[in-house]
Amino acid sequence: MKLITCCKVVRDELDITTGPGRELITENAGLKISLYDLNALEAAVEIAQGHPDSQITVLSLGNKAMLENSKIRKDILSRGADALTVIADDGCDVLYPTESAALLANAAEKIGFDLLICGEGSGDLYAQQTGMQIGERLNLPCINAVSKITVNGSSVIIERTLEDSVEELELSLPAVISVSSDINVPKLPSMKAILAANKKPVTQWGLSDVDGALAQTTAVRVSAQAPEQAERLGIIVEGDSDEAIATLAGYLRQALN
C-alpha cells in the first residue's frame, strides 16, 4: 500500500517573540514538524504495521532554509517514513491553503498513492483546508476530522467523532483524509530509528517539477500581530472573612461583565 503523509515544517511557537508594535518576530525561532502532522504520520505508520508491503512517503512544502535543514529531515525520517519528498522554493515561505493544495496535489499525483493523510491543520495557520482542497483538486474521495482508520482491501473505513454520535464512512481508494489530533499519541523515535534515518532517500523538487505557479495567489498576508495585552489591576483581597469574599465576588462579577 502506498501512503503519503503531508508534513509542514513550522517555527517553534515557544521561540516566537513580539516587537514594539506587537509584530511577530520569527527569525530566531527554531524549526519543528507541525504537531498536528505528527498525528498524520503516526496514523500512516500504524496502517503500515498492519500491511507489511506498505511504503510511506512524507511530502513537505516550504522554503529552502526549512526543508534543506538536515536536522528536520532526520526528524521526519526517524518517525517511520520510508522516504521524504520536499518541494523547496523560497517563494513558498508563506502560502495559504489554496496555493499549498495545488502544489501538493500535483506532487502527490506524480508520486502516486493509495491513501494520502494530512493533519487537521497546521501549527501556524491552522486553516483546516489543505487536505480537503487536495482531495477536491484530484477529484478523489476526501474527508476530515477522522478519528479512526481501517483499511479494507480496496477501500478504507473511517470514523468521525461528532458532538453526540460517531459517524462511520467507507471511502474507495485512492482517497485523501485529514485526521484529528486525538486519533493517536505520536511516539518518540528510538535511537535505532534516528540512526537509520540517515540512509533513507530524500527527493528535492522545485516548483517546475510540480508544474507550480505562485503568481496566482488568492490571499496575501497584510500583517500578523500579537493581541493587545490588558494591564493587570493588581488588586489583592486578603483574608477569608465574609466581607473579603463578598469583595472578591464583586470584582469577579465586574470582570465577567
Side-chain angles (χ1 to χ4, degrees), residues 34-98:
S34 174
L35 294 180
Y36 303 106
D37 293 336
L38 291 180
N39 295 115
L41 182 50
E42 184 68 25
V45 170
E46 290 174 356
I47 292 172
Q49 287 172 347
H51 298 77
D53 59 339
S54 295
Q55 174 84 9
I56 302 173
T57 300
V58 169
L59 178 59
S60 191
L61 168 69
N63 67 40
K64 289 185 177 181
M66 287 183 167
L67 296 183
E68 291 178 354
N69 185 297
S70 59
K71 184 179 178 181
I72 285 292
R73 289 184 174 189
K74 182 185 288 187
D75 190 14
I76 292 172
L77 290 168
S78 67
R79 294 175 180 272
D82 299 297
L84 169 64
T85 296
V86 298
I87 308 165
D89 189 282
D90 289 338
C92 299
D93 191 24
V94 182
L95 291 183
Y96 286 85
T98 300

Side-chain angles (χ1 to χ4, degrees), residues 5-254:
T5 302
C6 292
C7 287
K8 188 175 185 179
V9 180
V10 298
R11 296 287 180 179
D12 192 332
E13 61 273 7
L14 296 178
D15 298 334
I16 296 175
T17 57
T18 56
R22 295 187 287 116
E23 67 275 10
L24 302 182
I25 302 172
T26 61
E27 287 77 9
N28 299 320
L31 301 175
K32 68 175 187 179
I33 308 166
S34 174
L35 294 180
Y36 303 106
D37 293 336
L38 291 180
N39 295 115
L41 182 50
E42 184 68 25
V45 170
E46 290 174 356
I47 292 172
Q49 287 172 347
H51 298 77
D53 59 339
S54 295
Q55 174 84 9
I56 302 173
T57 300
V58 169
L59 178 59
S60 191
L61 168 69
N63 67 40
K64 289 185 177 181
M66 287 183 167
L67 296 183
E68 291 178 354
N69 185 297
S70 59
K71 184 179 178 181
I72 285 292
R73 289 184 174 189
K74 182 185 288 187
D75 190 14
I76 292 172
L77 290 168
S78 67
R79 294 175 180 272
D82 299 297
L84 169 64
T85 296
V86 298
I87 308 165
D89 189 282
D90 289 338
C92 299
D93 191 24
V94 182
L95 291 183
Y96 286 85
T98 300
E99 289 75 40
S100 296
L103 297 172
L104 292 169
N106 289 348
E109 191 171 35
K110 186 173 180 178
I111 295 168
F113 65 93
D114 297 303
L115 184 63
L116 188 149
I117 307 174
C118 296
E120 66 181 10
S122 61
D124 48 6
L125 295 176
Y126 196 67
Q128 297 181 285
Q129 297 176 22
T130 304
M132 297 296 285
Q133 290 201 39
I134 291 173
E136 178 65 23
R137 283 183 174 275
L138 296 176
N139 196 28
L140 293 176
C142 56
I143 200 76
N144 64 350
V146 174
S147 56
K148 185 178 179 181
I149 308 167
T150 304
V151 177
N152 183 26
S154 60
S155 65
V156 60
I157 298 171
I158 62 96
E159 289 184 6
R160 299 202 304 172
T161 303
L162 307 178
E163 288 186 5
D164 55 358
S165 62
V166 175
E167 183 179 49
E168 185 175 280
L169 300 167
E170 184 171 3
L171 308 178
S172 58
L173 297 175
V176 179
I177 61 174
S178 299
V179 299
S180 63
S181 57
D182 59 0
I183 191 171
N184 54 44
V185 177
K187 299 180 184 64
L188 292 173
S190 64
M191 183 56 66
K192 182 180 178 182
I194 293 171
L195 294 174
N198 290 320
K199 301 177 182 178
K200 294 181 178 180
V202 177
T203 302
Q204 181 165 328
W205 287 338
L207 291 177
S208 60
D209 296 302
V210 291
D211 300 323
L214 290 177
Q216 301 173 357
T217 54
T218 57
V220 177
R221 178 181 293 176
V222 176
S223 66
Q225 293 180 309
E228 288 190 48
Q229 298 297 312
E231 188 177 346
R232 295 188 178 185
L233 298 178
I235 298 172
I236 299 174
V237 179
E238 296 182 352
D240 57 359
S241 65
D242 291 344
E243 185 180 348
I245 293 170
T247 302
L248 175 60
Y251 283 125
L252 290 174
R253 284 194 210 93
Q254 235 177 359

